[in-house]
Amino acid sequence: MKLAKLIGACAVASLALTACGTGGIDAAAFDWPEEGQPGGGGNVTIVSNTELSSLEPGEAGTAGQAFPVLKNVVQSLLTRNTETNEVEPLLATEWESVDPLHWTFTLRNDVTWHDGTPFDAENAARALTYVWDKSIPYAGNFVGDPVAFSAIDQYTLGIELTTPDPLVPAKMTMMPLASPTQIQNAPQTLSTTLIGTGPYKFVSYEPRAKLELELNPDYFDLHPGMFDTVSWIFRAENQVRAQLVQAGEADIAMDVTGEQCQASVSATARCIENTRNGFRFLRPDFYNQTVLSDPRIRQAVAHAVDRSGITSAFIASSGVPVDNPGPEGMVGYSEDVATYEYDVDKAKQLVADAKADGINTDLPLTIKYRTGFFPNIDDIAQSVATNLNAAGLNAKVEALPDAEGLAQYRQNFEANSIENIAPDRGWIFLATTSNDLYDFSQLGDTLLSCDGKFSVYCNPDFQAKYDAASAQQGEARQDEFASLWDAQYAADAPIVPIAAPTDSWVVSNRVSVEFRSDLFIPLTEARGAQAGPS
């Protein structure tokens, strides 16, 4: 295996990933043979800031750092190459659109779930039928109109759509397949016992504390040097996570601040920075608001926030603000979108103009956020409030416990509805999101549509144009989405993107691991150091 891969791919440009100080990493320790007895890499301990309250496969993704580990247990039909943005085989080897409403997927014939359930078309259909449900908190983000899954033959899965959907392959990268036997016979265990098809199997789980996994000896892609066991623990404090790696009590500390990461570089640890495929942003209330629905106030918010200063101070020292609601390469990404320059005088004038027309610019605005949801979130929220107050608005901050903040952020979910937004409640949520489908519709469906799960925005004119663009494919889809965002962002600032997040992780020099822009840690490619010289 190549050293560049082993030490964290110091210069993989497509991932904007860098290893900052490799300390005393020993390349020979990772020179495992290509073939031979799988495993031997020992245990790897990963510490994250997100307390995982449920293992239910379709729901666990609501915990911001669930997928790095859990996707090694519960897999999907397809995966995404984050270097090329291409969808690639995983549990399915081939797929085809037979006509606009019918797809077929050819499945691997050498896979079983960890409870012994055969992985075939009939059982895959049962697993997909379960997870294709808008009511499931995370997987439901990717679910559209009703779909029927069926077995064409033992290893050929059929999908029948209600309406054409060019994103079927992309969505099949995001549908985790739990054991259909567990779903049918023991659904009450889905939140506490993880049964998938992946390279690692569930061992034990302490809610909000610890998850233990072990290597699956029956997996189809095993190698010498892979970790024998995985411990995933949770610590809220950034510095504590970094210190656990420094003390040799953990191997990977996720999502520390850039300063803490750099300070942790030593003979035994390195700092790896990785740019994610999403972005930090502000979500100002719109529906049922007289103040925040005024386009001048929304534009004032966008001009008042010092996105460059916030980015360099609290997100990534070399980062720049973004204006697209997704990564470059996303369908709908616009090269021509106009930016909101930081301009306090312009923001003040927009506020003054609105006030002169009777808008109550003294209305309290609340910058809401989930405590500890990402590094420096407290500082970012306070900076936003300070910026808005300098422009003549009346802003304060409110930090919420993670579960309460998530419940408030989900505006159209379970008992919540956009119709329930109180008049002029004045919330501006500071949040982060990703674009795992690499398509504008992921943002449009969840944040910009009237019935979007996280949407407080409902503009009938935009909705009609968005629905028409969503029906397009190919270049027409790209052009219409890009044009629609250009116009709506300039006129209404439905959301205010801040920057693409750069994750800083402290990594022990006894592990070789690659990080991806979707946060997934592919443990089939990770290795532990050998005990002695190779």
Side-chain angles (χ1 to χ4, degrees):
M1 299 180 72
K2 295 181 180 178
L3 175 60
K5 185 174 183 179
L6 291 170
I7 64 173
C10 297
V12 180
S14 63
L15 294 186
L17 181 151
T18 57
C20 310
T22 57
I25 192 165
D26 179 7
F30 299 101
D31 190 17
W32 290 90
E34 293 291 337
E35 304 292 337
Q37 179 69 29
N43 179 75
V44 62
T45 297
I46 302 169
V47 55
S48 79
N49 68 353
T50 303
E51 295 181 348
L52 193 60
S53 58
S54 172
L55 295 183
E56 203 288 333
E59 181 179 345
T62 58
Q65 296 177 349
F67 275 172
V69 178
L70 295 192
K71 288 180 79 171
N72 289 285
V73 180
V74 182
Q75 298 178 299
S76 50
L77 289 184
L78 303 175
T79 187
R80 185 179 290 279
N81 183 323
T82 56
E83 294 186 32
T84 65
N85 291 344
E86 296 296 322
V87 173
E88 294 183 344
L90 186 55
L91 297 179
T93 58
E94 298 177 355
W95 57 97
E96 178 185 12
S97 175
V98 180
D99 60 50
L101 294 179
H102 294 86
W103 290 75
T104 61
F105 287 77
T106 302
L107 308 183
R108 295 186 66 99
N109 61 7
D110 57 354
V111 177
T112 59
W113 272 277
H114 300 153
D115 60 359
T117 302
F119 181 76
D120 56 24
E122 181 179 349
N123 284 326
R126 293 165 60 201
L128 281 164
T129 298
Y130 168 77
V131 78
W132 193 272
D133 183 348
K134 285 186 176 181
S135 69
I136 294 179
Y138 187 80
N141 296 345
F142 309 100
V143 170
D145 293 327
V147 167
F149 301 96
S150 63
I152 296 173
D153 59 38
Q154 185 175 6
Y155 294 108
T156 305
L157 174 74
I159 301 180
E160 182 176 2
L161 309 177
T162 307
T163 56
D165 185 356
L167 298 182
V168 167
K171 291 178 179 179
M172 289 302 114
T173 69
M174 301 305 299
M175 295 290 115
L177 302 185
S179 164
T181 301
Q182 182 187 25
I183 292 168
Q184 179 176 330
N185 297 338
Q188 73 280 3
T189 68
L190 284 164
S191 64
T192 58
T193 304
L194 203 59
I195 302 176
T197 58
Y200 286 85
K201 299 167 55 175
F202 172 86
V203 175
S204 65
Y205 170 55
E206 298 175 35
R208 304 184 184 278
K210 189 175 185 180
L211 176 69
E212 297 280 357
L213 309 175
E214 65 182 3
L215 192 64
N216 171 19
D218 299 320
Y219 192 64
F220 57 84
D221 185 25
L222 298 178
H223 305 276
M226 287 178 62
F227 298 111
D228 303 293
T229 56
V230 179
S231 300
W232 188 24
I233 62 177
F234 315 108
R235 298 291 186 274
E237 303 83 1
N238 296 338
Q239 187 61 47
V240 170
R241 293 196 300 278
Q243 289 171 344
L244 286 173
V245 176
Q246 293 173 309
E249 298 176 33
D251 300 294
I252 300 172
M254 302 175 63
D255 245 0
V256 301
T257 68
E259 293 81 3
Q260 291 163 344
C261 194
Q262 296 289 346
S264 299
V265 174
S266 69
T268 59
R270 63 196 186 278
C271 170
I272 291 183
E273 296 183 334
N274 182 31
T275 300
R276 208 185 295 185
N277 68 2
F279 58 101
R280 312 271 196 250
F281 67 101
L282 300 173
R283 187 197 72 176
D285 277 350
F286 178 89
Y287 191 83
N288 215 16
Q289 311 294 294
T290 59
V291 177
L292 281 177
S293 67
D294 189 293
R296 293 166 296 188
I297 298 299
R298 301 176 75 84
Q299 292 168 14
V301 169
H303 280 297
V305 176
D306 182 7
R307 298 186 299 153
S308 291
I310 288 172
T311 299
S312 60
F314 304 122
I315 299 176
S317 58
S318 59
V320 295
V322 297
D323 294 288
N324 272 281
E328 196 168 351
M330 171 190 78
V331 174
Y333 185 92
S334 173
E335 301 285 355
D336 302 318
V337 64
T339 190
Y340 279 95
E341 299 289 352
Y342 174 49
D343 190 331
V344 178
D345 290 338
K346 188 168 187 176
K348 286 180 176 179
Q349 187 61 56
L350 287 164
V351 171
D353 291 346
K355 185 173 184 178
D357 287 341
I359 298 298
N360 179 16
T361 57
D362 294 326
L363 178 83
L365 305 178
T366 305
I367 314 302
K368 295 207 167 205
Y369 63 96
R370 294 158 64 181
T371 302
F373 194 48
F374 51 78
N376 297 321
I377 192 169
D378 304 273
D379 294 317
I380 296 172
Q382 189 58 60
S383 296
V384 169
T386 299
N387 289 162
L388 297 188
N389 291 334
L393 296 169
N394 180 17
K396 62 179 182 178
V397 302
E398 182 181 357
L400 299 165
D402 190 70
E404 182 182 351
L406 178 60
Q408 291 189 15
Y409 181 66
R410 289 176 178 160
Q411 187 57 59
N412 288 293
F413 185 72
E414 295 179 340
N416 276 353
S417 166
I418 199 169
E419 301 288 343
N420 297 337
I421 297 177
D424 281 332
R425 72 178 183 181
W427 291 3
I428 302 177
F429 246 99
L430 171 60
T432 188
T433 190
S434 60
N435 197 308
D436 302 291
L437 300 181
Y438 283 78
D439 191 273
F440 179 83
S441 65
Q442 182 172 340
L443 175 92
D445 287 349
T446 57
L447 276 167
L448 302 181
S449 293
C450 296
D451 61 352
K453 187 177 291 184
F454 311 119
S455 179
V456 294
Y457 187 76
C458 187
N459 182 316
D461 179 62
F462 170 83
Q463 188 73 54
K465 293 176 181 177
Y466 172 72
D467 290 343
S470 297
Q472 300 298 319
Q473 299 187 34
E475 287 299 318
R477 186 181 184 88
Q478 160 64 32
D479 294 344
E480 290 196 26
F481 275 151
S483 177
L484 181 60
W485 176 248
D486 288 350
Q488 208 67 22
Y489 184 50
D492 226 11
I495 60 171
V496 181
I498 299 175
T502 296
D503 297 309
S504 298
W505 294 8
V506 182
V507 181
S508 165
N509 285 340
R510 66 159 298 274
V511 304
S512 156
V513 62
E514 286 196 34
F515 302 104
R516 300 168 21 133
S517 61
D518 62 358
L519 284 187
F520 175 42
I521 303 174
L523 291 178
T524 55
E525 300 175 13
R527 301 290 184 268
Q530 299 181 78
S534 59

